[in-house]
Amino acid sequence: MQDFLIIGGGLAGTGAAAKLSELGSVTLLEMEDALGYHASGRSAAMFAETYGPPPVVELSRASAAHHQAQGCLSPRGFMLVGGPQNAEVFAHGLKELDLEPISGAEARDKVPILHPERVTMAGFHAEAQDLDADLLLQGFAKAARANGAVVQTRAPVTAITRTAAGWQVTAGGETYEARQLVNAAGAWADRVAVMAGAAPIGLQPKRRSMARLPAPGGHDVTSWPMIMGAGETWYAKPDAGKLLVSPAEADPVDPHDAYADDMVLAEGLARYEENVTEPVTRVESNWAGLRSFAPDGALLLGPDPAHPGFIWSAGQGGYGVQTSPAAAQLVADLVAGRQTELDAATVTALSPARLR
């Protein structure tokens, strides 16, 4: 009998394991061969405190110290670009993301391949940083194991039963028991809830695709910022001397091992090409991940009000990497019944109770 049984080995689950293992015994169950196989390992991760709705911003700000202490951040910068064809949408994004306006010429100084006629305005945020998602994940796993947590991969959950003492879970042909159950199953979180006898929240997995391109025109892209088209219709980000380009789609899908849709990827690359002077001549690789959203777009963190001992850590959407330290801390604080550093309004806005 463990104190905590966690389903899901992405950043949500490993973060929860790191923090909950300070409170009691923990076993983490991951259905794949390795931790972080799905969304956590497929993100073009950035840390930008102003990205997302207010509860997400508060979680991101509360996560900054952990990211810095773990050495997960490195300089990058973020730039929004637009032109006459999308001036109104660009103006909205500039305000929403709290960016400093710069001219098209200044934008081309930073990214010389931007098209002079299509990109006539830009907004820039120098403080946005690259975030090493794998380093973050491994740090959580190391901390959890140091506290005695057991991490079990290749353990897909097939049954969950409520018992007098807590929960009994069958996974990978083995039976596990725990007093409290943490649902950190990502795109599968609603399915886990139903298996446990809890009502689903209404989580919707949405696919996002990515292509890796050779450095455009042979440019050194190392110092380029992340670039986003107005309205988030595409984005591009340097990565190990290459350029990652995404259609920035959010297509609703069922939970599965995601892969890029060829047509969606082609359309996104075409939108990117409209804004640059270097054509896409070759795609070196592509992939996709699932970002899962609650109906109101905020995370689900804390106990289910109708099912004591059933704890949500799900619905991270596109914010799961940058918010994971504070999200894990909040889950542990709520379980322990102690004061959290987040304000009461933020805690309420993240509670599963808001959707019940």
mmCIF file with all atom_site columns, all heavy atoms in Angstrom, residues 145-162:
data_model
loop_
_atom_site.group_PDB
_atom_site.id
_atom_site.type_symbol
_atom_site.label_atom_id
_atom_site.label_alt_id
_atom_site.label_comp_id
_atom_site.label_asym_id
_atom_site.label_entity_id
_atom_site.label_seq_id
_atom_site.pdbx_PDB_ins_code
_atom_site.Cartn_x
_atom_site.Cartn_y
_atom_site.Cartn_z
_atom_site.occupancy
_atom_site.B_iso_or_equiv
_atom_site.pdbx_formal_charge
_atom_site.auth_seq_id
_atom_site.auth_comp_id
_atom_site.auth_asym_id
_atom_site.auth_atom_id
_atom_site.pdbx_PDB_model_num
ATOM 1   N N   . ARG A 1 145 ? 13.076  9.730  -7.391  1.00 0.00 ? 145 ARG A N   1
ATOM 2   C CA  . ARG A 1 145 ? 13.783  8.490  -7.040  1.00 0.00 ? 145 ARG A CA  1
ATOM 3   C C   . ARG A 1 145 ? 14.633  8.679  -5.785  1.00 0.00 ? 145 ARG A C   1
ATOM 4   O O   . ARG A 1 145 ? 14.754  7.760  -4.960  1.00 0.00 ? 145 ARG A O   1
ATOM 5   C CB  . ARG A 1 145 ? 14.645  8.039  -8.209  1.00 0.00 ? 145 ARG A CB  1
ATOM 6   C CG  . ARG A 1 145 ? 13.835  7.506  -9.409  1.00 0.00 ? 145 ARG A CG  1
ATOM 7   C CD  . ARG A 1 145 ? 14.752  6.936  -10.471 1.00 0.00 ? 145 ARG A CD  1
ATOM 8   N NE  . ARG A 1 145 ? 14.019  6.311  -11.579 1.00 0.00 ? 145 ARG A NE  1
ATOM 9   C CZ  . ARG A 1 145 ? 13.929  6.828  -12.793 1.00 0.00 ? 145 ARG A CZ  1
ATOM 10  N NH1 . ARG A 1 145 ? 14.528  7.974  -13.088 1.00 0.00 ? 145 ARG A NH1 1
ATOM 11  N NH2 . ARG A 1 145 ? 13.242  6.195  -13.741 1.00 0.00 ? 145 ARG A NH2 1
ATOM 12  N N   . ALA A 1 146 ? 15.211  9.863  -5.642  1.00 0.00 ? 146 ALA A N   1
ATOM 13  C CA  . ALA A 1 146 ? 16.025  10.138 -4.454  1.00 0.00 ? 146 ALA A CA  1
ATOM 14  C C   . ALA A 1 146 ? 15.186  10.075 -3.180  1.00 0.00 ? 146 ALA A C   1
ATOM 15  O O   . ALA A 1 146 ? 15.702  9.759  -2.098  1.00 0.00 ? 146 ALA A O   1
ATOM 16  C CB  . ALA A 1 146 ? 16.693  11.505 -4.577  1.00 0.00 ? 146 ALA A CB  1
ATOM 17  N N   . ASN A 1 147 ? 13.889  10.351 -3.317  1.00 0.00 ? 147 ASN A N   1
ATOM 18  C CA  . ASN A 1 147 ? 12.978  10.277 -2.171  1.00 0.00 ? 147 ASN A CA  1
ATOM 19  C C   . ASN A 1 147 ? 12.336  8.894  -2.026  1.00 0.00 ? 147 ASN A C   1
ATOM 20  O O   . ASN A 1 147 ? 11.431  8.721  -1.207  1.00 0.00 ? 147 ASN A O   1
ATOM 21  C CB  . ASN A 1 147 ? 11.880  11.330 -2.304  1.00 0.00 ? 147 ASN A CB  1
ATOM 22  C CG  . ASN A 1 147 ? 12.403  12.745 -2.152  1.00 0.00 ? 147 ASN A CG  1
ATOM 23  O OD1 . ASN A 1 147 ? 13.389  12.981 -1.463  1.00 0.00 ? 147 ASN A OD1 1
ATOM 24  N ND2 . ASN A 1 147 ? 11.738  13.704 -2.799  1.00 0.00 ? 147 ASN A ND2 1
ATOM 25  N N   . GLY A 1 148 ? 12.786  7.943  -2.833  1.00 0.00 ? 148 GLY A N   1
ATOM 26  C CA  . GLY A 1 148 ? 12.293  6.580  -2.712  1.00 0.00 ? 148 GLY A CA  1
ATOM 27  C C   . GLY A 1 148 ? 11.159  6.217  -3.638  1.00 0.00 ? 148 GLY A C   1
ATOM 28  O O   . GLY A 1 148 ? 10.617  5.104  -3.558  1.00 0.00 ? 148 GLY A O   1
ATOM 29  N N   . ALA A 1 149 ? 10.766  7.113  -4.536  1.00 0.00 ? 149 ALA A N   1
ATOM 30  C CA  . ALA A 1 149 ? 9.675   6.814  -5.453  1.00 0.00 ? 149 ALA A CA  1
ATOM 31  C C   . ALA A 1 149 ? 10.081  5.702  -6.420  1.00 0.00 ? 149 ALA A C   1
ATOM 32  O O   . ALA A 1 149 ? 11.237  5.614  -6.838  1.00 0.00 ? 149 ALA A O   1
ATOM 33  C CB  . ALA A 1 149 ? 9.283   8.061  -6.232  1.00 0.00 ? 149 ALA A CB  1
ATOM 34  N N   . VAL A 1 150 ? 9.105   4.889  -6.803  1.00 0.00 ? 150 VAL A N   1
ATOM 35  C CA  . VAL A 1 150 ? 9.302   3.814  -7.771  1.00 0.00 ? 150 VAL A CA  1
ATOM 36  C C   . VAL A 1 150 ? 8.694   4.257  -9.093  1.00 0.00 ? 150 VAL A C   1
ATOM 37  O O   . VAL A 1 150 ? 7.524   4.662  -9.137  1.00 0.00 ? 150 VAL A O   1
ATOM 38  C CB  . VAL A 1 150 ? 8.650   2.507  -7.297  1.00 0.00 ? 150 VAL A CB  1
ATOM 39  C CG1 . VAL A 1 150 ? 8.764   1.434  -8.375  1.00 0.00 ? 150 VAL A CG1 1
ATOM 40  C CG2 . VAL A 1 150 ? 9.272   2.039  -5.989  1.00 0.00 ? 150 VAL A CG2 1
ATOM 41  N N   . VAL A 1 151 ? 9.486   4.187  -10.157 1.00 0.00 ? 151 VAL A N   1
ATOM 42  C CA  . VAL A 1 151 ? 9.007   4.552  -11.488 1.00 0.00 ? 151 VAL A CA  1
ATOM 43  C C   . VAL A 1 151 ? 8.897   3.278  -12.314 1.00 0.00 ? 151 VAL A C   1
ATOM 44  O O   . VAL A 1 151 ? 9.898   2.594  -12.552 1.00 0.00 ? 151 VAL A O   1
ATOM 45  C CB  . VAL A 1 151 ? 9.958   5.560  -12.167 1.00 0.00 ? 151 VAL A CB  1
ATOM 46  C CG1 . VAL A 1 151 ? 9.506   5.842  -13.598 1.00 0.00 ? 151 VAL A CG1 1
ATOM 47  C CG2 . VAL A 1 151 ? 10.024  6.848  -11.353 1.00 0.00 ? 151 VAL A CG2 1
ATOM 48  N N   . GLN A 1 152 ? 7.681   2.962  -12.749 1.00 0.00 ? 152 GLN A N   1
ATOM 49  C CA  . GLN A 1 152 ? 7.430   1.729  -13.493 1.00 0.00 ? 152 GLN A CA  1
ATOM 50  C C   . GLN A 1 152 ? 6.959   2.065  -14.906 1.00 0.00 ? 152 GLN A C   1
ATOM 51  O O   . GLN A 1 152 ? 5.858   2.585  -15.093 1.00 0.00 ? 152 GLN A O   1
ATOM 52  C CB  . GLN A 1 152 ? 6.365   0.890  -12.786 1.00 0.00 ? 152 GLN A CB  1
ATOM 53  C CG  . GLN A 1 152 ? 6.121   -0.456 -13.426 1.00 0.00 ? 152 GLN A CG  1
ATOM 54  C CD  . GLN A 1 152 ? 7.347   -1.359 -13.359 1.00 0.00 ? 152 GLN A CD  1
ATOM 55  O OE1 . GLN A 1 152 ? 7.872   -1.621 -12.284 1.00 0.00 ? 152 GLN A OE1 1
ATOM 56  N NE2 . GLN A 1 152 ? 7.800   -1.821 -14.519 1.00 0.00 ? 152 GLN A NE2 1
ATOM 57  N N   . THR A 1 153 ? 7.809   1.809  -15.907 1.00 0.00 ? 153 THR A N   1
ATOM 58  C CA  . THR A 1 153 ? 7.410   1.999  -17.295 1.00 0.00 ? 153 THR A CA  1
ATOM 59  C C   . THR A 1 153 ? 6.804   0.699  -17.846 1.00 0.00 ? 153 THR A C   1
ATOM 60  O O   . THR A 1 153 ? 6.794   -0.332 -17.175 1.00 0.00 ? 153 THR A O   1
ATOM 61  C CB  . THR A 1 153 ? 8.610   2.423  -18.157 1.00 0.00 ? 153 THR A CB  1
ATOM 62  O OG1 . THR A 1 153 ? 9.648   1.441  -18.022 1.00 0.00 ? 153 THR A OG1 1
ATOM 63  C CG2 . THR A 1 153 ? 9.157   3.778  -17.702 1.00 0.00 ? 153 THR A CG2 1
ATOM 64  N N   . ARG A 1 154 ? 6.296   0.770  -19.085 1.00 0.00 ? 154 ARG A N   1
ATOM 65  C CA  . ARG A 1 154 ? 5.611   -0.360 -19.724 1.00 0.00 ? 154 ARG A CA  1
ATOM 66  C C   . ARG A 1 154 ? 4.492   -0.890 -18.826 1.00 0.00 ? 154 ARG A C   1
ATOM 67  O O   . ARG A 1 154 ? 4.313   -2.105 -18.663 1.00 0.00 ? 154 ARG A O   1
ATOM 68  C CB  . ARG A 1 154 ? 6.598   -1.478 -20.051 1.00 0.00 ? 154 ARG A CB  1
ATOM 69  C CG  . ARG A 1 154 ? 7.739   -1.044 -20.957 1.00 0.00 ? 154 ARG A CG  1
ATOM 70  C CD  . ARG A 1 154 ? 8.699   -2.168 -21.222 1.00 0.00 ? 154 ARG A CD  1
ATOM 71  N NE  . ARG A 1 154 ? 9.861   -1.698 -21.980 1.00 0.00 ? 154 ARG A NE  1
ATOM 72  C CZ  . ARG A 1 154 ? 10.891  -2.462 -22.299 1.00 0.00 ? 154 ARG A CZ  1
ATOM 73  N NH1 . ARG A 1 154 ? 10.907  -3.744 -21.952 1.00 0.00 ? 154 ARG A NH1 1
ATOM 74  N NH2 . ARG A 1 154 ? 11.904  -1.954 -22.978 1.00 0.00 ? 154 ARG A NH2 1
ATOM 75  N N   . ALA A 1 155 ? 3.738   0.032  -18.261 1.00 0.00 ? 155 ALA A N   1
ATOM 76  C CA  . ALA A 1 155 ? 2.675   -0.344 -17.326 1.00 0.00 ? 155 ALA A CA  1
ATOM 77  C C   . ALA A 1 155 ? 1.372   0.360  -17.682 1.00 0.00 ? 155 ALA A C   1
ATOM 78  O O   . ALA A 1 155 ? 0.908   1.249  -16.958 1.00 0.00 ? 155 ALA A O   1
ATOM 79  C CB  . ALA A 1 155 ? 3.100   -0.002 -15.895 1.00 0.00 ? 155 ALA A CB  1
ATOM 80  N N   . PRO A 1 156 ? 0.751   -0.020 -18.812 1.00 0.00 ? 156 PRO A N   1
ATOM 81  C CA  . PRO A 1 156 ? -0.541  0.581  -19.165 1.00 0.00 ? 156 PRO A CA  1
ATOM 82  C C   . PRO A 1 156 ? -1.626  0.153  -18.187 1.00 0.00 ? 156 PRO A C   1
ATOM 83  O O   . PRO A 1 156 ? -1.735  -1.031 -17.846 1.00 0.00 ? 156 PRO A O   1
ATOM 84  C CB  . PRO A 1 156 ? -0.807  0.024  -20.562 1.00 0.00 ? 156 PRO A CB  1
ATOM 85  C CG  . PRO A 1 156 ? -0.022  -1.240 -20.640 1.00 0.00 ? 156 PRO A CG  1
ATOM 86  C CD  . PRO A 1 156 ? 1.210   -1.017 -19.812 1.00 0.00 ? 156 PRO A CD  1
ATOM 87  N N   . VAL A 1 157 ? -2.422  1.099  -17.742 1.00 0.00 ? 157 VAL A N   1
ATOM 88  C CA  . VAL A 1 157 ? -3.470  0.820  -16.762 1.00 0.00 ? 157 VAL A CA  1
ATOM 89  C C   . VAL A 1 157 ? -4.671  0.181  -17.464 1.00 0.00 ? 157 VAL A C   1
ATOM 90  O O   . VAL A 1 157 ? -5.174  0.703  -18.457 1.00 0.00 ? 157 VAL A O   1
ATOM 91  C CB  . VAL A 1 157 ? -3.898  2.112  -16.044 1.00 0.00 ? 157 VAL A CB  1
ATOM 92  C CG1 . VAL A 1 157 ? -5.100  1.860  -15.139 1.00 0.00 ? 157 VAL A CG1 1
ATOM 93  C CG2 . VAL A 1 157 ? -2.723  2.656  -15.223 1.00 0.00 ? 157 VAL A CG2 1
ATOM 94  N N   . THR A 1 158 ? -5.136  -0.923 -16.930 1.00 0.00 ? 158 THR A N   1
ATOM 95  C CA  . THR A 1 158 ? -6.280  -1.633 -17.526 1.00 0.00 ? 158 THR A CA  1
ATOM 96  C C   . THR A 1 158 ? -7.486  -1.692 -16.602 1.00 0.00 ? 158 THR A C   1
ATOM 97  O O   . THR A 1 158 ? -8.589  -1.997 -17.059 1.00 0.00 ? 158 THR A O   1
ATOM 98  C CB  . THR A 1 158 ? -5.876  -3.063 -17.918 1.00 0.00 ? 158 THR A CB  1
ATOM 99  O OG1 . THR A 1 158 ? -5.291  -3.726 -16.777 1.00 0.00 ? 158 THR A OG1 1
ATOM 100 C CG2 . THR A 1 158 ? -4.840  -3.042 -19.045 1.00 0.00 ? 158 THR A CG2 1
ATOM 101 N N   . ALA A 1 159 ? -7.305  -1.418 -15.310 1.00 0.00 ? 159 ALA A N   1
ATOM 102 C CA  . ALA A 1 159 ? -8.442  -1.443 -14.381 1.00 0.00 ? 159 ALA A CA  1
ATOM 103 C C   . ALA A 1 159 ? -8.122  -0.597 -13.155 1.00 0.00 ? 159 ALA A C   1
ATOM 104 O O   . ALA A 1 159 ? -6.974  -0.564 -12.691 1.00 0.00 ? 159 ALA A O   1
ATOM 105 C CB  . ALA A 1 159 ? -8.770  -2.877 -13.966 1.00 0.00 ? 159 ALA A CB  1
ATOM 106 N N   . ILE A 1 160 ? -9.159  0.074  -12.647 1.00 0.00 ? 160 ILE A N   1
ATOM 107 C CA  . ILE A 1 160 ? -9.032  0.867  -11.423 1.00 0.00 ? 160 ILE A CA  1
ATOM 108 C C   . ILE A 1 160 ? -10.251 0.572  -10.560 1.00 0.00 ? 160 ILE A C   1
ATOM 109 O O   . ILE A 1 160 ? -11.389 0.661  -11.028 1.00 0.00 ? 160 ILE A O   1
ATOM 110 C CB  . ILE A 1 160 ? -8.960  2.377  -11.710 1.00 0.00 ? 160 ILE A CB  1
ATOM 111 C CG1 . ILE A 1 160 ? -7.792  2.703  -12.636 1.00 0.00 ? 160 ILE A CG1 1
ATOM 112 C CG2 . ILE A 1 160 ? -8.835  3.169  -10.408 1.00 0.00 ? 160 ILE A CG2 1
ATOM 113 C CD1 . ILE A 1 160 ? -7.735  4.161  -13.074 1.00 0.00 ? 160 ILE A CD1 1
ATOM 114 N N   . THR A 1 161 ? -10.013 0.242  -9.301  1.00 0.00 ? 161 THR A N   1
ATOM 115 C CA  . THR A 1 161 ? -11.102 -0.088 -8.382  1.00 0.00 ? 161 THR A CA  1
ATOM 116 C C   . THR A 1 161 ? -10.960 0.725  -7.108  1.00 0.00 ? 161 THR A C   1
ATOM 117 O O   . THR A 1 161 ? -9.861  0.828  -6.539  1.00 0.00 ? 161 THR A O   1
ATOM 118 C CB  . THR A 1 161 ? -11.079 -1.585 -8.022  1.00 0.00 ? 161 THR A CB  1
ATOM 119 O OG1 . THR A 1 161 ? -11.146 -2.353 -9.227  1.00 0.00 ? 161 THR A OG1 1
ATOM 120 C CG2 . THR A 1 161 ? -12.244 -1.936 -7.114  1.00 0.00 ? 161 THR A CG2 1
ATOM 121 N N   . ARG A 1 162 ? -12.061 1.293  -6.646  1.00 0.00 ? 162 ARG A N   1
ATOM 122 C CA  . ARG A 1 162 ? -12.072 1.987  -5.362  1.00 0.00 ? 162 ARG A CA  1
ATOM 123 C C   . ARG A 1 162 ? -12.187 0.945  -4.255  1.00 0.00 ? 162 ARG A C   1
ATOM 124 O O   . ARG A 1 162 ? -13.022 0.027  -4.326  1.00 0.00 ? 162 ARG A O   1
ATOM 125 C CB  . ARG A 1 162 ? -13.258 2.952  -5.301  1.00 0.00 ? 162 ARG A CB  1
ATOM 126 C CG  . ARG A 1 162 ? -13.248 3.867  -4.073  1.00 0.00 ? 162 ARG A CG  1
ATOM 127 C CD  . ARG A 1 162 ? -12.124 4.872  -4.184  1.00 0.00 ? 162 ARG A CD  1
ATOM 128 N NE  . ARG A 1 162 ? -11.912 5.609  -2.978  1.00 0.00 ? 162 ARG A NE  1
ATOM 129 C CZ  . ARG A 1 162 ? -12.217 6.894  -2.839  1.00 0.00 ? 162 ARG A CZ  1
ATOM 130 N NH1 . ARG A 1 162 ? -12.781 7.556  -3.834  1.00 0.00 ? 162 ARG A NH1 1
ATOM 131 N NH2 . ARG A 1 162 ? -11.942 7.525  -1.720  1.00 0.00 ? 162 ARG A NH2 1
#
